[in-house]
Amino acid sequence: MVIARTLTDRLPSRVPVLDVWNKIDAAGAPPPEQGLALSAKSGAGLDVLRRRLLEIAGWQAAPEGLYIARERHVQALRRVQDHLETAAQHLAARAQLLDLLAEELRLGQNALNEITGEFTPDDLLGVIFSKFCIGK
């Protein structure tokens, strides 16, 4: 692994390096002590790799069911739930009013867009028409 060592030596010191050794199920010799050993084929060691990657990334598990959200996000999620429930009722009734179903899904998407910051159809039209010179 001379090539791998020279690559890691050139990385800045703040970049974490994790040695991962695959095929432990087929290897004849034990893996080096400083790395993680796994088998992609059998899945052995993958849980340890996931935990180590999350640890390096700084992720910490929160208690089950606990999350932090702004009040407006919670309200938007409630509206999404309401629209999806109404859409599900349209589907369950096998109603031929597909436009009502589509409208409920659109309204639910708009509520999600309030959280994610996605463009609304009006925003998109504004961008499109701002690029054109109409009437000249």
Side-chain angles (χ1 to χ4, degrees):
M1 293 299 286
V2 174
I3 295 174
R5 282 290 149 213
T6 56
L7 289 176
T8 56
D9 291 341
R10 294 188 310 187
L11 290 174
S13 60
R14 67 183 182 277
V15 175
V17 175
L18 181 61
D19 289 330
V20 179
W21 298 84
N22 189 20
K23 298 186 180 185
I24 60 169
D25 52 340
E33 291 181 23
Q34 72 270 14
L36 290 177
L38 60 89
S39 169
K41 183 176 182 179
S42 71
L46 290 178
D47 288 338
V48 175
L49 175 62
R50 285 185 189 103
R51 282 193 304 270
R52 184 69 181 118
L53 289 172
L54 289 171
E55 179 185 306
I56 290 171
W59 182 83
Q60 295 178 4
E64 181 86 21
L66 175 67
Y67 63 92
I68 298 174
R70 293 184 174 169
E71 180 61 27
R72 69 180 182 86
H73 292 172
V74 173
Q75 290 173 357
L77 288 172
R78 286 185 182 132
R79 286 195 312 277
V80 170
Q81 182 178 8
D82 291 342
H83 291 300
L84 289 177
E85 287 172 357
T86 304
Q89 290 170 1
H90 287 302
L91 282 175
R94 298 189 185 269
Q96 297 299 318
L97 303 173
L98 295 179
D99 53 339
L100 294 178
L101 171 66
E103 179 64 11
E104 290 298 330
L105 294 176
R106 187 187 69 77
L107 291 171
Q109 179 64 48
N110 286 346
L112 278 179
N113 289 345
E114 293 175 23
I115 298 171
T116 62
E118 296 290 325
F119 275 2
T120 65
D122 292 335
D123 293 334
L124 182 59
L125 287 174
V127 169
I128 292 170
F129 286 113
S130 70
K131 303 284 184 200
F132 292 102
C133 182
I134 299 175
K136 289 188 178 183

